[in-house]
Amino acid sequence: MSIPGKQARHLDGIRVLDLFAGPGGLDVAAHFLGYRSLGIEWDLNACETRYAAGLPTVHADVSVMRKTRFDEIPTSVDVLAGGPPCQSFSVAGSGAGRRALEKVTKYIHRLVEVGDESGVDEELKTLDPRTALVLEPLRWLLKAIETQGRDPYRVIVLEQVPAVMPLWEVYAEVLRGGEGRLQGVKYEAQCWELRTEEFGVPQTRKRAVLVARRPEHGVIEPPEATHLPFALHRGRSAEQADTLMAESAIDGARRRWVSMAEALDAASEPADSPVDVSRLRADGKTDFFVVSNYGSGGDPKNRGRRRSSEPAFTVTGKISRNKVYRSVADYEAGRSDRFSIPESGVLQSFPRNYPWSGKDQAQQVGNAVPPRLGMHVLSRALRGDTPSEEELAAAATWPTVSRATTEELRAIGCGDTSGCPPDSHKVTRLPRR
């Protein structure tokens, strides 16, 4: 990082360090809860979105940052967060994901109990490079404990796909113990599998979440779901769904899940919104259905469908390949549409006007943590409560960021390109005609 004057202004009061920060899902959540964050991100395209959004960022490899640039992290940071890449832990295929989980479990214990950094690094070379990254949050914690002038993180928040839950449980066990290199530093730690639609995200998606907190901050309670699970309504008539909603109002005042139409209609209301679903309107109302890019039931030709009155499928980097139809007639005629990037972001619960930038924007959207879920998790972890309705309502719109601020943040994150990942700033020049 460079330009000390600008750095001091933009990095002042940073509380949250977001490893594998992506385009800013957790950072957006922290912002609307009143916490400042710093993200470390490897992908330059995601960094460009972050700079445009005014989010302090370091364009770097997380492991390199830990080893050689740890002193650049503000000492005000007391919350460690992140979602390491998960592809190498897939439960599909030949069982490689399960075997990777078993190996990483052993590495966790070796790092804490023996401090076998070099030995673990050497063995990790034989695995998918992404596998090593799930160890980084632990290594960042150990680095903070062993670095003079640093305090252990007060709170740790990690999230990933459900397949990674066994590793979060190992993390929790180790953090509760405080043994070996943890030097007696113990945490209260809990793991949960959360469904995004139960927190008002207009999308069905499951996430494995770990929250660890120093014991003096009290027992950790799970985030309180505010909406009903979508599966509750699958295969039921509208009348049955209304009955279930009435019963839920008596039990705990949970609202119905948020549909695609509800989310996109609300995002379309402001005159200057980049979201405009008028093209999907039939007879004056939003009424469409989505055909997934993915097959289901083992049949690649069996594409799942969701009505506009339902939550979206899990938003992935291929969301732009999903086909949107206004009617059955359009489907039969092959007349389809696609979700725009702002619309895809809204289905992830990003603000309607979030400044998506750089290339591979659909992939950025799909890789992100849904900010609304992030708000519930961070609020529970940091404050022990649920986000207020005012905070959640404010999260519909992102504040305007000046070009000067974007350029200053880019200079901080990429000012010295030698500190960025190799070849990430390489410019491909077109041949002369």
Side-chain angles (χ1 to χ4, degrees), residues 1 10 25 33 37 39-40 43 60 92 228 268 318 333 335 350 355 358 361 365 393 395:
M1 290 186 285
H10 288 295
L33 293 176
S37 63
I40 301 176
D43 178 59
L228 295 170
S268 297
K318 294 181 174 58
R335 294 189 296 267
F350 275 87
Q361 292 181 14
V365 174

Side-chain angles (χ1 to χ4, degrees), residues 364-380:
Q364 291 183 49
V365 174
N367 287 348
V369 178
R372 190 176 178 108
L373 176 67
M375 289 180 71
H376 281 273
V377 172
L378 287 178
S379 183
R380 181 64 71 181

Side-chain angles (χ1 to χ4, degrees), residues 241-259:
D242 288 341
T243 300
L244 287 167
M245 287 178 63
E247 292 174 352
S248 72
I250 296 174
D251 292 339
R254 278 215 228 178
R255 289 163 280 179
R256 193 194 71 160
W257 32 262
V258 178
S259 71

Side-chain angles (χ1 to χ4, degrees), residues 14-33:
I14 294 288
R15 292 282 307 281
V16 181
L17 176 62
D18 187 3
L19 308 179
F20 317 102
L26 279 176
D27 305 74
V28 169
H31 167 84
F32 286 112
L33 293 176

Side-chain angles (χ1 to χ4, degrees), residues 66-342:
R66 169 180 55 82
K67 293 175 183 177
T68 64
R69 303 173 61 188
F70 190 77
D71 62 332
E72 296 180 25
I73 304 300
T75 56
S76 57
V77 167
D78 62 354
V79 179
L80 182 69
C86 63
Q87 294 90 333
S88 61
F89 299 103
S90 171
V91 296
S94 62
R98 177 181 53 77
R99 290 192 295 274
L101 288 171
E102 293 172 351
K103 289 183 178 180
V104 173
T105 295
K106 295 178 181 178
Y107 296 151
I108 290 173
H109 288 289
R110 282 170 57 183
L111 287 173
V112 172
E113 297 167 8
V114 185
D116 187 15
E117 295 273 0
S118 58
V120 168
D121 283 339
E122 192 63 29
E123 292 182 32
L124 284 169
K125 293 178 182 179
T126 65
L127 303 179
D128 186 311
R130 295 167 296 189
T131 300
L133 298 178
V134 79
L135 295 169
E136 282 300 324
L138 174 62
R139 287 175 142 171
W140 276 78
L141 170 60
L142 295 173
K143 184 82 171 184
I145 291 173
E146 296 173 346
T147 300
Q148 187 175 3
R150 297 275 178 168
D151 293 323
Y153 302 111
R154 182 171 65 89
V155 177
I156 300 170
V157 177
L158 305 177
E159 68 81 37
Q160 247 317 328
V161 295
V164 181
M165 180 65 84
L167 288 184
W168 290 168
E169 291 172 345
V170 176
Y171 258 75
E173 177 187 354
V174 168
L175 294 174
R176 294 186 194 114
E179 299 178 354
R181 293 173 65 196
L182 290 171
Q183 300 179 19
V185 176
K186 297 183 179 181
Y187 290 83
E188 294 285 341
Q190 297 293 334
C191 305
W192 313 291
E193 184 177 293
L194 304 179
R195 302 168 63 112
T196 57
E197 79 273 17
E198 291 192 73
F199 296 89
V201 179
Q203 166 200 174
T204 53
R205 186 187 195 110
K206 295 180 181 179
R207 307 305 286 175
V209 174
L210 162 73
V211 171
R213 195 166 59 189
R214 296 301 305 278
E216 60 266 26
H217 298 294
V219 177
I220 302 172
E221 298 291 341
E224 184 177 349
T226 54
H227 293 68
L228 295 170
F230 176 63
L232 195 64
H233 303 287
R234 263 309 197 190
R236 297 178 183 269
S237 66
E239 181 179 348
Q240 288 172 314
D242 288 341
T243 300
L244 287 167
M245 287 178 63
E247 292 174 352
S248 72
I250 296 174
D251 292 339
R254 278 215 228 178
R255 289 163 280 179
R256 193 194 71 160
W257 32 262
V258 178
S259 71
M260 288 183 279
E262 291 169 325
L264 293 173
D265 275 343
S268 297
E269 288 179 0
D272 60 348
S273 174
V275 175
D276 180 8
V277 292
S278 60
R279 71 187 190 288
L280 303 178
R281 291 185 181 277
D283 300 325
K285 62 180 180 180
T286 303
D287 185 15
F288 58 85
F289 65 92
V290 181
V291 178
S292 173
N293 178 63
Y294 294 98
S296 61
D299 181 0
K301 296 182 179 180
N302 182 25
R303 309 293 187 178
R305 296 189 186 188
R306 290 278 175 94
R307 299 187 298 273
S308 58
S309 58
E310 299 175 320
F313 295 106
T314 297
V315 174
T316 71
K318 294 181 174 58
I319 186 172
S320 58
R321 299 185 187 180
N322 291 349
K323 294 184 178 181
V324 185
Y325 299 92
R326 291 201 315 169
S327 64
V328 174
D330 281 354
Y331 176 75
E332 292 175 345
R335 294 189 296 267
S336 64
D337 209 320
R338 310 276 180 166
F339 287 125
S340 68
I341 294 300

Side-chain angles (χ1 to χ4, degrees), residues 345-400:
V346 167
L347 297 179
Q348 272 280 53
S349 74
F350 275 87
R352 62 174 71 88
N353 61 331
Y354 199 66
W356 300 101
S357 303
K359 300 178 181 178
D360 299 327
Q361 292 181 14
Q363 192 66 51
Q364 291 183 49
V365 174
N367 287 348
V369 178
R372 190 176 178 108
L373 176 67
M375 289 180 71
H376 281 273
V377 172
L378 287 178
S379 183
R380 181 64 71 181
L382 301 180
R383 309 187 309 199
D385 62 10
T386 298
S388 69
E389 289 300 322
E390 292 76 16
E391 288 170 331
L392 293 170
T397 306
W398 191 248
T400 301

